[in-house]
Amino acid sequence: MEQRRLGWPRLLGLLAVLASRAFAARNLGLWPMPGSVQMTPRLLHVSPDRFFIDHSPASKAGPSCALLQSAFQRYYDYIFGFNKWRHGPAKPHSEMDLQKLLVSVTQDPECDNFPNISSDESCLETFSQLIYQDSYGAFTVNESKIIDSPRFPHRGILIDTSRHFLPVKTILKTLGSFSLSGVYTPNDIRRVIGYARLRGIRIVPEFDSPGHTQSWGKGQKDLLTPCYQGKQSSGTFGPINPILNTTYSFLHDLFKEISTVFPDKFIHLGGDEVQFDCWKSNPDIQNFMKSKGFANFERLESFYMEKLLDMVSTMGKRSIVWQEVFDNKDKLSPGTVVQVWKSDKFPREQSKVTEAGFPMILSAPWYLDVIRYGQDWRGYYEVEPLDFPGSEKQKTLVIGGEACLWGEYVDSTNLTPRLWPRASAVGERLWSHQGVRDLADAYSRLTVHRCRMIRRGISAQPLFTGYCNYEDGMSQ
Ligand SMILES: *[C@@H]1O[C@H](CO)[C@@H](O)[C@H](O)[C@H]1NC(C)=O
Ligand SMILES: *[C@@H]1O[C@H](CO)[C@@H](O)[C@H](O)[C@H]1NC(C)=O
Ligand SMILES: *[C@@H]1O[C@H](CO)[C@@H](O)[C@H](O)[C@H]1NC(C)=O
């Protein structure tokens, strides 16, 4: 999720009036670019002493909405830099004061709910970005009208807590969907989900199987397939053993627990990169294949995934799977979301998935763990998610995308700088209008946005040579 975007019902900021001061065109670094911003020449002074964000009398939400109260507090802090200004020199001000931002929620405020795929997400973020400090250091804003909403409903980041353990503190700083191994307590999970909820972020867990499960085998006897060397079992293990009933009773208990701990409607079931060698070597698996008349191991994988998908759907959840599950299967339950991740000819895969009528998430061009010298964010930015052969109806099946940061070379020491601002490029691509794609303009806004992240305490790496006015977030 574009991390600082909030997700709750339509907010309408009404700004009051006045003032004049010579003013040079300013790069405010709006990111992601909102649907429309009309700025007027009227300048308003925003004093940290007097300014506050409040509910409009017309709003459907009020002070009992903890979700909004906490957002008001957080945005006050973002705007004024966590009170560091208080010790600066007071400035004699002549402009009109903007004392209140009145927030009016015009739809059901969803104050106590978890955000979901259809949550309305127009927000406070752009307002906070419009406020700047003038040459005296005074907080100032042009009277403005903002209209905004995201282009795609699903805008994610994937972080990998399996290849390296990530402390909860690091996850809270990063927040998105993450794949999980068994080292977090239920309390940790609740904390992450609660923290995310207040920021309009959904947490979608991935429990990948039947491959990528070596660690599960350590705790669960007979779960993995024993591999054979000739007639002897070799002592090593392969993917989950799909032919035992005990496998499915274990999976049932596991996913039952997962579906109660994670409130989101979606669970990611993985299904990628299943190695068939071990299955091939095992005589029990061979016999099972014969008895079922399965001609190949893709069919066996489908047999497993089908059972898992049915199981999860009886628990009231919807599933996301990696593209192989679609590729290897002749039928897949309608509504299963297919995540396209293989970079080779991915537009062709997008066509196939959507032609078959499945909702789709794009990740292939956004593997942020692949790094190289230079400004690789430009490549992420230039991707057009709907640029594949297909009908209008097919295009509507693209629900969004996810920037993936797999963890082979990432832990809590480098997660944040490797993710930001590179993931911000994906954030704008999924949020802003299709026509927002001028690279020079994006560069100038993103450099300012990167400094904004530094100021808000996020150690985002530099885009290129340059400096920020606020570098205090950088030393840690
Ligand atoms: C903001 O207000 C100043 C001062 O009136 C004006 O010069 C400037 O053009 C305004 N900015 C925009 C983007 O309208
Ligand atoms: C999302 O949440 C809202 C409010 O709780 C609810 O009305 C809506 O049906 C939910 N949508 C989905 C797709 O679950
Ligand atoms: C596994 O479950 C199936 C279906 O319930 C049943 O027919 C079969 O006998 C079971 N196999 C074993 C070994 O218990």
Side-chain angles (χ1 to χ4, degrees):
M1 216 84 353
E2 175 46 30
Q3 145 155 359
R4 298 291 142 184
R5 270 293 163 183
L6 302 174
W8 55 69
R10 191 162 294 276
L11 305 176
L12 191 65
L14 292 178
L15 307 188
V17 199
L18 233 109
S20 68
R21 170 176 295 282
F23 182 91
R26 203 173 274 273
N27 174 8
L28 294 168
L30 298 185
W31 196 279
M33 187 56 116
S36 100
V37 189
Q38 289 163 23
M39 293 175 71
T40 75
R42 285 165 151 172
L43 287 185
L44 303 168
H45 176 232
V46 190
S47 159
D49 284 331
R50 291 179 294 277
F51 177 78
F52 63 104
I53 309 175
D54 201 1
H55 301 274
S56 145
S59 181
K60 288 197 174 180
S64 65
C65 185
L67 185 80
L68 286 176
Q69 293 301 120
S70 92
F72 293 175
Q73 179 61 51
R74 197 166 59 247
Y75 270 88
Y76 179 92
D77 290 344
Y78 286 159
I79 291 166
F80 299 116
F82 301 90
N83 296 338
K84 279 172 201 139
W85 59 272
R86 279 188 195 282
H87 309 294
K91 173 202 169 239
H93 50 83
S94 50
E95 299 94 345
M96 190 65 180
D97 250 17
L98 174 63
Q99 295 193 353
K100 258 198 271 195
L101 173 67
L102 290 181
V103 172
S104 181
V105 177
T106 57
Q107 293 166 15
D108 178 6
E110 297 181 27
C111 292
D112 303 313
N113 297 331
F114 290 96
N116 65 30
I117 190 86
S118 53
S119 296
D120 188 348
E121 306 188 66
S122 317
C123 26
L124 278 174
E125 175 65 28
T126 300
F127 172 72
S128 77
Q129 296 187 2
L130 287 173
I131 297 179
Y132 60 90
Q133 283 178 278
D134 71 9
S135 48
Y136 296 95
F139 292 94
T140 309
V141 65
N142 285 50
E143 186 190 28
S144 307
K145 182 174 176 185
I146 311 158
I147 300 174
D148 200 14
S149 63
R151 182 177 172 204
F152 295 100
H154 187 103
R155 305 172 310 282
I157 52 172
L158 181 150
I159 60 174
D160 176 0
T161 61
S162 299
R163 289 178 175 84
H164 284 99
F165 176 71
L166 295 174
V168 170
K169 207 176 77 181
T170 304
I171 297 174
L172 296 185
K173 274 199 136 177
T174 311
L175 277 179
S177 71
F178 57 100
S179 68
L180 199 72
S181 56
V183 278
Y184 297 95
T185 66
N187 263 343
D188 290 338
I189 305 285
R190 268 191 289 276
R191 206 174 139 210
V192 169
I193 293 170
Y195 184 93
R197 184 183 81 87
L198 292 179
R199 288 157 179 78
I201 297 171
R202 298 164 47 213
I203 300 291
V204 178
E206 179 194 354
F207 288 81
D208 190 1
S209 72
H212 292 294
T213 45
Q214 286 297 306
S215 67
W216 303 19
K218 305 269 186 240
Q220 192 62 26
K221 195 167 166 300
D222 297 334
L223 181 66
L224 303 184
T225 308
C227 313
Y228 277 67
Q229 217 156 25
K231 294 207 154 33
Q232 302 284 315
S233 78
S234 68
T236 61
F237 295 90
I240 281 183
N241 191 336
I243 71 171
L244 301 179
N245 289 354
T246 51
T247 290
Y248 299 99
S249 49
F250 166 77
L251 290 173
H252 184 273
D253 293 350
L254 176 67
F255 280 95
K256 190 80 212 168
E257 182 176 344
I258 293 166
S259 65
T260 55
V261 172
F262 290 90
D264 201 84
K265 184 83 178 165
F266 288 86
I267 297 180
H268 201 309
L269 299 181
D272 62 321
E273 300 182 312
V274 183
Q275 309 287 328
F276 295 142
D277 296 357
C278 183
W279 280 352
K280 273 181 201 162
S281 76
N282 183 303
D284 296 331
I285 302 248
Q286 290 162 11
N287 290 336
F288 182 85
M289 301 265 293
K290 272 195 208 108
S291 74
K292 291 275 181 190
F294 293 168
N296 54 44
F297 289 89
E298 282 81 3
R299 187 67 196 83
L300 181 62
E301 182 192 342
S302 293
F303 168 83
Y304 169 90
M305 289 305 299
E306 221 165 287
K307 278 174 165 299
L308 189 56
L309 283 158
D310 285 349
M311 193 186 284
V312 166
S313 112
T314 64
M315 295 170 187
K317 296 289 186 179
R318 286 185 60 188
S319 301
I320 306 173
V321 294
W322 297 110
Q323 71 182 67
E324 288 98 315
V325 177
F326 167 80
D327 295 340
N328 296 349
K329 201 163 173 359
D330 30 40
K331 66 178 177 19
L332 185 61
S333 329
T336 306
V337 178
V338 178
Q339 189 161 1
V340 171
W341 70 276
K342 294 188 178 180
S343 57
D344 187 38
K345 304 198 180 80
F346 67 86
R348 209 172 64 184
E349 181 77 2
Q350 290 183 279
S351 290
K352 281 201 270 182
V353 170
T354 54
E355 191 173 9
F358 291 99
M360 202 219 86
I361 293 171
L362 183 63
S363 282
W366 294 319
Y367 264 43
L368 270 47
D369 48 305
V370 180
I371 53 171
R372 56 166 200 271
Y373 183 78
Q375 300 195 28
D376 54 2
W377 69 271
R378 291 170 181 266
Y380 310 142
Y381 191 78
E382 288 189 297
V383 171
E384 168 44 53
L386 300 188
D387 195 4
F388 62 86
S391 64
E392 281 309 303
K393 179 136 180 295
Q394 278 173 260
K395 307 290 165 95
T396 64
L397 289 167
V398 178
I399 62 172
E402 261 176 40
C404 299
L405 187 58
W406 296 104
E408 284 87 350
Y409 304 97
V410 177
D411 69 7
S412 64
T413 62
N414 61 353
L415 177 80
T416 302
R418 192 161 288 188
L419 193 55
W420 309 112
R422 294 163 77 228
S424 307
V426 183
E428 175 155 297
R429 180 54 53 237
L430 294 170
W431 180 281
S432 304
H433 290 172
Q434 182 165 8
V436 178
R437 51 182 313 111
D438 184 287
L439 270 174
D441 176 62
Y443 176 80
S444 66
R445 286 183 295 112
L446 191 52
T447 47
V448 174
H449 183 57
R450 181 261 169 174
C451 290
R452 176 183 297 122
M453 287 193 271
I454 295 293
R455 186 179 170 208
R456 292 182 183 184
I458 300 162
S459 320
Q461 71 182 15
L463 288 169
F464 192 47
T465 52
Y467 67 95
C468 297
N469 289 328
Y470 301 88
E471 307 238 325
D472 42 355
M474 295 168 96
S475 53
Q476 278 185 3

